[in-house]
Amino acid sequence: MLEGIGKWLSRYLSQPLKSASIQAPVEIEQLRACMKPGDVLLIDGNTRISTAIKYLTQSTWSHAALYVGNACEEVGGGPYGLIEADINDGVRRVGLETYAGQHCRICRPVGLGPEERQALIDYATQRLGNCYDLRNVIDLVRYLMPTPPVPVHWRRKMLALGSGDPTRAICSTLIAEAFQSIRYPILPRIAVAQSLGPGHQEFEVLYPRHFSYFVPRDFDVSPYFLIIKPTLDINFDHRQLIWGGEPSMSSLKNEAG
């Protein structure tokens, strides 16, 4: 019975909402031209659960997916594939067109070698088909309230609250685990240590955070990922833009409404 309720909740939370985002959508052709295997695609999202995640993380982004190109193309999604953890379907491979008409951003890890990039993709593809136990209903019920009255410093912890696998499906656990498997930093804890040699020189030591605490915005704010905006990456020239008239007060009121 609990599993049935969990499935119903996951379908309900995944339903799109009207006017859930006011951000400009990205053209799929622009994404295809910009993305490279190993990139992380951040998605604004337009569902009930997206609204809650963006509120809890104080971010524009509610979802993240790993771009794998044509890797494992035989399982679906076409030559421009993404691997993601979905609340309904578990770990799956989808095409870029899945997020047509949505606001997106590309986060690119800097300095990955070919072997590291392949190991990253292999880690994600080996988890295709993993499903999540929806019997842990408490992990889903918290998202029924789009903007729960939770203090700011508790909001991120609320995403990791609970012991059920739906938490892992909703958060960026899969991608965080993949990057940590090749020891690539996202937002590690940094401590200063001193060498034992002459001069006692100081150096930084990085400690990985537990993967269950990562959320989509962490790839955006990480100092180790390059932010790629597709609209600017393809020969953007502001001189070629076609402008209309100056905004009037009536148009401003319509936008506000």
Side-chain angles (χ1 to χ4, degrees):
M1 183 180 68
L2 288 177
E3 185 174 2
I5 295 173
K7 288 181 178 179
W8 177 85
L9 279 174
S10 65
R11 290 193 296 268
Y12 175 78
L13 291 168
S14 300
Q15 292 176 359
L17 298 173
K18 293 182 179 179
S19 303
S21 174
I22 60 173
Q23 305 295 333
V26 176
E27 296 292 337
I28 293 300
E29 292 302 325
Q30 292 176 333
L31 283 177
R32 287 176 178 170
C34 293
M35 297 203 71
K36 298 180 180 180
D39 286 351
V40 177
L41 182 68
L42 301 182
I43 299 101
D44 184 356
N46 60 353
T47 62
R48 288 185 172 89
I49 197 169
S50 299
T51 302
I53 292 175
K54 286 186 284 187
Y55 174 79
L56 290 172
T57 60
Q58 293 293 281
S59 170
T60 301
W61 313 111
S62 69
H63 189 60
L66 182 69
Y67 183 69
V68 298
N70 59 8
C72 290
E73 185 178 351
E74 65 277 4
V75 303
Y80 302 95
L82 297 163
I83 289 181
E84 63 178 11
D86 179 72
I87 189 174
N88 290 303
D89 300 327
V91 181
R92 63 179 185 177
R93 187 183 189 278
V94 297
L96 277 176
E97 63 276 3
T98 302
Y99 296 108
Q102 296 199 41
H103 182 54
C104 302
R105 178 171 293 172
I106 301 168
C107 299
R108 178 165 297 157
V110 177
L112 284 186
E115 293 183 358
E116 293 173 310
R117 197 179 307 275
Q118 188 60 51
L120 176 73
I121 293 173
D122 288 344
Y123 186 96
T125 56
Q126 288 168 7
R127 281 146 184 82
L128 284 169
N130 284 6
C131 295
Y132 294 96
D133 186 0
L134 295 175
R135 291 175 296 180
N136 296 281
V137 179
I138 190 173
D139 288 344
L140 295 172
V141 170
R142 81 192 94 165
Y143 298 105
L144 288 174
M145 188 182 300
T147 55
V150 181
V152 173
H153 61 282
W154 287 354
R155 288 174 185 170
R156 176 186 285 258
K157 294 181 180 179
M158 186 176 174
L159 284 171
L161 178 67
S163 59
D165 285 337
T167 296
R168 302 184 64 188
I170 294 163
C171 298
S172 302
T173 299
L174 172 69
I175 301 176
E177 282 185 295
F179 276 101
Q180 289 186 351
S181 73
I182 61 170
R183 300 188 70 80
Y184 190 88
I186 304 171
L187 283 178
R189 293 183 293 107
I190 300 177
V192 178
Q194 287 186 339
S195 65
L196 299 177
H200 299 287
Q201 295 182 342
E202 293 186 345
F203 58 94
E204 292 184 343
V205 180
L206 275 60
Y207 295 92
R209 300 178 188 273
H210 194 270
F211 45 76
S212 66
Y213 282 92
F214 283 100
V215 296
R217 71 180 293 271
D218 292 336
F219 297 97
D220 191 6
V221 301
S222 170
Y224 310 105
F225 285 77
L226 184 66
I227 302 303
I228 308 294
K229 297 184 178 182
T231 53
L232 302 181
D233 197 53
I234 308 177
N235 302 319
F236 175 74
D237 184 356
H238 70 278
R239 302 172 189 85
Q240 302 298 320
L241 299 176
I242 301 174
W243 290 88
E246 294 296 324
S248 62
M249 289 303 298
S250 60
S251 64
L252 291 176
K253 290 179 181 179
N254 290 334
E255 290 183 7

